[in-house]
């Protein structure tokens, strides 16, 4: 496998790096990384120990003291060079992401493209870390706000986006003057090691200090806990399940740290009777089976008006029948594997539960066996007729299950159903009726962080602020003004008069 060599992945890799050097003891246990594509061992990683962690965080903090003094556009120049390096390594890195995580090669390459795009975005941002100038109510006073670098940013990422989500955080944090400490998912550590090696080339070429970009690889319960409890890390961005995010949020809040929470979704598409089904059907299929249903923005619920319900149902079954399931590195296949056998069990279990609650499986639901499916991670995406109030429908099962839910009457009824879950990440409506679309986007409409009209729930652009409401956690990262969260804000007032006018007109005779 040439791409592994090109990216500096060895048979056994150390699990901690300060950017320039891989450090690490070999007594913290080993993670063997198997590909869900063919079940083969790709490589192994020594897990970072407590001692490794201490070494890494120390360097990250020291680097921050330097990096915060570098002018922001110069910080942007480093990020520009990272973008160039990622262009150079796009093919091997995209291939590794696909082989390690199981998403299609096109999606693997797309993930690296997102990294490149956020680099470009962050370069521009480095000249636009604007504060406001406000009008002071006092004579000869100037008042403005400014943004200062925050510190070491901890970035904990989920398995399903092995590299892109890190870059959404890290590239913005870097131009903001912060240093980064990454804990990738221990299900996909090799893609993270490859990124770290790429960063090393830029660090070396620019004579940058150790600690600007650091990484620790290990279990959530060990190194993950270290990060969330560490007072030296003022901000943790955590992408993962609601359960893990809730725990992390509590721990971080207890020490008055900041957190950006990017947690699970239970995303719905509404199809009204005035929808253009030529747009809606492919959007639903892509949203429900893309990345084998393992995107946070995957379409999990489809809320369809009764007048077009049968037509939508039949079109979907027809489309699902034509899906090719197999090795994601082969472009002809549409659906790849789930991340591991535990995910397959959750898929099977969810289908059992929905049947017990009264749901009807209309298509799919089988685990594939035999040639090409040796890893045991391939399933046939399922379409299930269900009710929104079923317990299992209320949960996020991280697998390709699409629940079909019928609604009657006004679009308000569909919006009510869509909002009636605890998660609030992505949502969409398909309609050619302006009133329905505006109702969906209004204050009484979708309660999600992302609300789309005539495009599906999955596949957000980096230019927008990404994140969701309610149990999805309320965090925002990537574009728009998400950068503000990675900096500390300060209001400054300067008196250039010869008097000292006190606030609220208070007079103080001395
Ligand atoms: P997960 O919650 O199992 O793990 C996420 C990360 O948290 C991993 O790096 C894990 O090691 C770490 N972790 C686990 N326990 C920890 C602890 N006690 N302290 C600190 N860190 C800990 O999630 P996963 O299975 O990797 O990913 C799937 C989930 O992520 C889904 O729920 C999905 O919706 C969500 N997700 C959300 C977004 C978003 O932007 N909202 C994006 C991608 C994935």
């Amino acid at each position: 496998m040439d791409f592994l060599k090109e990216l500096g992945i060895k048979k056994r890799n150390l699990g901690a790096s300060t950017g320039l050097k891989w450090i690490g003891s070999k007594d913290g246990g080993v993670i063997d990384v198997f590909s869900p594509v063919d079940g083969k061992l790709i490589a192994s990683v020594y897990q970072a120990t407590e001692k490794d962690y201490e070494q890494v965080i120390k360097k990250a903090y020291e680097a921050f003291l330097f990096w915060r003094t570098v002018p922001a556009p110069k910080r942007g120049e480093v990020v520009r060079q990272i973008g160039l390096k990622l262009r150079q390594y796009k093919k091997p890195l995209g291939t590794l992401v696909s082989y390690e995580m199981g998403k299609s090669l096109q999606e693997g390459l797309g993930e690296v493209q997102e990294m490149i795009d956020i680099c470009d975005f962050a370069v521009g941002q480095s000249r636009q870390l604007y504060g406001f100038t406000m009008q002071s109510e006092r004579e000869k006073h100037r008042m403005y706000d400014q943004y200062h670098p925050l510190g070491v940013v901890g970035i904990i990422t989920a398995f399903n986006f092995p590299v892109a989500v890190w870059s959404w955080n890290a590239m913005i944090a870097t131009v903001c003057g912060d240093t980064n400490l990454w804990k990738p998912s221990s299900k996909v550590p090799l893609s993270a090691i490859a990124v770290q090696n790429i960063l090393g080339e830029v660090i070396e070429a620019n004579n940058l200090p150790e600690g600007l970009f650091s990484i620790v690889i290990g279990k959530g319960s060990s190194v993950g806990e270290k990060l969330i409890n560490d007072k030296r890390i003022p901000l943790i961005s955590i992408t993962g399940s609601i359960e893990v995010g809730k725990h992390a949020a509590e721990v971080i809040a207890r020490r008055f740290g900041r957190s950006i929470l990017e947690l699970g979704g239970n995303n719905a598409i509404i199809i009204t009777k005035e929808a253009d089904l030529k747009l809606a059907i492919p959007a639903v299929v892509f949203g429900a089976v893309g990345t084998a249903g393992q995107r946070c923005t995957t379409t999990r619920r489809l809320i369809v008006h009764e007048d077009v319900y049968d037509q939508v149902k039949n079109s979907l079954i027809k489309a699902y029948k034509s899906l090719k399931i197999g090795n994601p590195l082969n472009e002809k296949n549409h659906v790849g594997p789930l991340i591991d056998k535990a995910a397959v069990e959750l898929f099977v279990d969810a289908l059992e539960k929905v049947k017990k609650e009264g749901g009807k499986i209309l298509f799919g639901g089988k685990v594939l066996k035999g040639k090409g499916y040796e890893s045991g991670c391939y399933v046939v995406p399922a379409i299930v007729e269900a009710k929104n109030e079923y317990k299992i429908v209320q949960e996020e099962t991280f697998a390709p299950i699409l629940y079909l839910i019928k609604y009657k009457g006004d679009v308000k009824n569909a919006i009510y159903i869509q909002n009636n879950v605890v998660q609030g990440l992505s949502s969409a409506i398909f309609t050619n009726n302006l009133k329905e679309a505006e109702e969906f986007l209004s204050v009484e409409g979708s309660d999600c962080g992302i609300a789309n009209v005539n495009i599906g729930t999955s596949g957000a652009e980096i230019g927008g602020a990404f994140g969701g409401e309610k149990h999805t956690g309320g965090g925002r990262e990537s574009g728009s003004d998400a950068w503000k969260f990675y900096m500390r804000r300060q209001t400054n007032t300067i008196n250039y008069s010869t008097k000292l006018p006190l606030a609220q007109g208070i007079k103080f005779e001395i």
Side-chain angles (χ1 to χ4, degrees):
M1 297 205 179
D2 289 348
F3 60 91
L4 293 177
K5 211 164 150 206
E6 221 176 312
L7 296 165
I9 305 293
K10 305 188 181 97
K11 267 191 172 162
R12 291 218 154 188
N13 303 271
L14 293 173
S17 164
T18 54
L20 276 173
K21 279 186 246 145
W22 282 97
I23 53 170
S25 352
K26 296 186 175 171
D27 50 6
V30 168
I31 304 171
D32 290 324
V33 186
F34 294 92
S35 169
V37 174
D38 53 17
K40 291 188 180 142
L41 177 69
I42 315 175
S44 307
V45 184
Y46 293 105
Q47 297 194 80
T49 61
E50 201 152 313
K51 199 171 132 236
D52 303 331
Y53 178 83
E54 276 309 316
Q55 219 175 319
V56 164
I57 182 73
K58 198 167 159 276
K59 290 281 178 216
Y61 184 70
E62 282 167 14
F64 168 66
L65 298 182
F66 157 74
W67 191 239
R68 65 180 178 177
T69 66
V70 174
K74 291 210 167 113
R75 303 195 291 245
E77 168 54 20
V78 171
V79 169
R80 191 184 69 81
Q81 292 180 35
I82 294 171
L84 294 179
K85 276 279 172 225
L86 288 168
R87 284 172 169 88
Q88 196 184 317
Y89 285 102
K90 181 172 171 182
K91 182 109 192 277
L93 184 58
T95 308
L96 173 58
V97 166
S98 168
Y99 188 54
E100 187 180 28
M101 187 274 162
K103 61 176 65 178
S104 73
L105 179 59
Q106 208 47 41
E107 286 175 297
L109 294 170
E111 222 186 297
V112 183
Q113 187 56 47
E114 278 191 28
M115 300 175 85
I116 295 166
D117 292 344
I118 196 73
C119 285
D120 290 354
F121 181 94
V123 175
Q125 189 71 69
S126 71
R127 291 181 184 268
Q128 300 174 85
L129 304 174
Y130 302 134
F132 288 121
T133 300
M134 288 76 70
Q135 299 303 313
S136 171
E137 60 193 45
R138 290 175 273 195
E139 242 174 64
K140 296 199 179 224
H141 277 60
R142 184 162 73 83
M143 186 163 67
Y144 68 103
D145 59 13
Q146 60 174 345
Y147 290 85
H148 286 312
L150 190 62
V152 182
V153 173
I155 305 169
I156 299 176
T157 51
F159 80 84
N160 63 330
F161 277 90
V163 292
V165 167
W166 166 82
S167 69
W168 292 3
N169 288 278
M171 295 303 97
I172 299 295
T174 300
V175 298
C176 288
D178 303 325
T179 56
N180 301 275
L181 174 50
W182 184 10
K183 194 212 93 57
S185 162
S186 40
K187 291 178 187 170
V188 288
L190 302 176
S191 301
I193 291 177
V195 170
Q196 190 71 12
N197 286 340
I198 294 168
L199 293 169
E201 292 185 21
V202 178
I203 294 169
E204 207 168 353
N206 290 276
N207 272 326
L208 292 167
E210 283 185 73
L212 188 54
F213 298 103
S214 314
I215 191 166
V216 280
I217 295 167
K219 296 212 171 66
S221 51
S222 55
V223 280
E225 282 292 327
K226 294 284 298 171
L227 260 99
I228 60 176
N229 279 286
D230 198 327
K231 290 197 187 102
R232 293 165 289 186
I233 306 181
L235 169 64
I236 301 264
S237 167
I238 180 159
T239 302
S241 57
I242 290 171
E243 194 190 358
V244 166
K246 188 166 184 273
H247 164 70
E250 283 169 7
V251 173
I252 298 163
R254 236 179 278 139
R255 62 173 176 86
F256 291 103
R258 281 188 201 174
S259 52
I260 295 177
L261 302 170
E262 300 286 346
L263 313 177
N266 193 351
N267 319 295
I269 291 181
I270 296 172
I271 297 185
T272 80
K273 60 183 174 185
E274 300 201 43
D276 180 345
L277 295 185
K278 284 198 299 301
L279 299 185
I281 299 297
V284 173
V285 177
F286 173 71
V289 308
T291 329
Q294 297 168 109
R295 286 190 183 214
C296 50
T297 52
T298 290
T299 309
R300 309 208 177 275
R301 296 174 299 140
L302 187 63
I303 304 161
V304 190
H305 192 275
E306 60 176 348
D307 287 4
V308 288
Y309 185 85
D310 285 338
Q311 196 186 345
V312 168
K313 182 169 89 175
N314 294 334
S315 304
L316 280 175
I317 293 172
K318 192 168 161 220
Y320 269 53
K321 276 185 183 159
S322 70
L323 290 175
K324 291 197 174 65
I325 305 163
N327 188 327
L329 292 159
N330 178 346
E331 272 173 42
K332 286 190 190 134
N333 289 326
H334 304 110
V335 185
L338 290 173
I339 184 69
D340 51 25
K341 285 184 187 157
V344 173
E345 270 172 40
L346 290 175
F347 170 80
V348 172
D349 189 49
L351 291 172
E352 280 307 311
K353 282 182 176 152
V354 77
K355 272 195 284 185
K356 275 193 193 131
E357 286 191 87
K360 187 172 159 206
I361 298 178
L362 300 174
F363 185 84
K366 291 212 165 51
V367 180
L368 292 166
K369 293 199 176 82
K371 198 164 178 320
Y373 304 125
E374 288 84 356
S375 70
C377 298
Y378 292 85
V379 302
V380 183
I383 306 174
V384 183
E385 223 157 15
K387 295 222 163 81
N388 198 57
E389 56 269 26
Y390 291 171
K391 198 165 167 289
I392 191 69
V393 176
Q394 293 280 314
E395 289 171 19
E396 177 198 48
T397 303
F398 219 52
I401 302 174
L402 180 68
Y403 297 117
L404 245 60
I405 299 161
K406 197 186 278 183
Y407 83 94
K408 296 180 182 175
D410 197 87
V411 73
K412 282 185 198 306
N413 300 331
I415 294 170
Y416 175 82
I417 295 170
Q418 106 115 44
N419 288 347
N420 206 6
V421 290
V422 294
Q423 309 86 345
L425 183 52
S426 188
S427 60
I429 191 169
F430 279 80
T431 179
N432 281 340
N433 180 320
L434 180 73
K435 285 183 179 161
E436 285 183 334
E438 288 293 336
E439 185 78 41
F440 177 74
L441 298 175
S442 79
V443 65
E444 294 173 303
S446 165
D447 61 4
C448 293
I450 297 165
N452 297 331
V453 176
N454 291 338
I455 67 162
T457 58
S458 82
E461 292 185 30
I462 59 105
F466 184 84
E469 299 300 326
K470 304 195 287 184
H471 289 202
T472 302
R476 292 295 184 277
E477 61 193 11
S478 192
S480 187
D481 66 350
W483 64 270
K484 288 182 175 168
F485 221 72
Y486 300 80
M487 303 196 82
R488 67 183 169 85
R489 185 176 191 153
Q490 190 173 64
T491 302
N492 307 112
T493 310
I494 300 155
N495 175 7
Y496 59 98
S497 77
T498 52
K499 294 179 194 142
L500 187 73
L502 297 175
Q504 298 165 339
I506 291 170
K507 296 228 177 342
F508 201 63
E509 303 288 340
I510 305 177

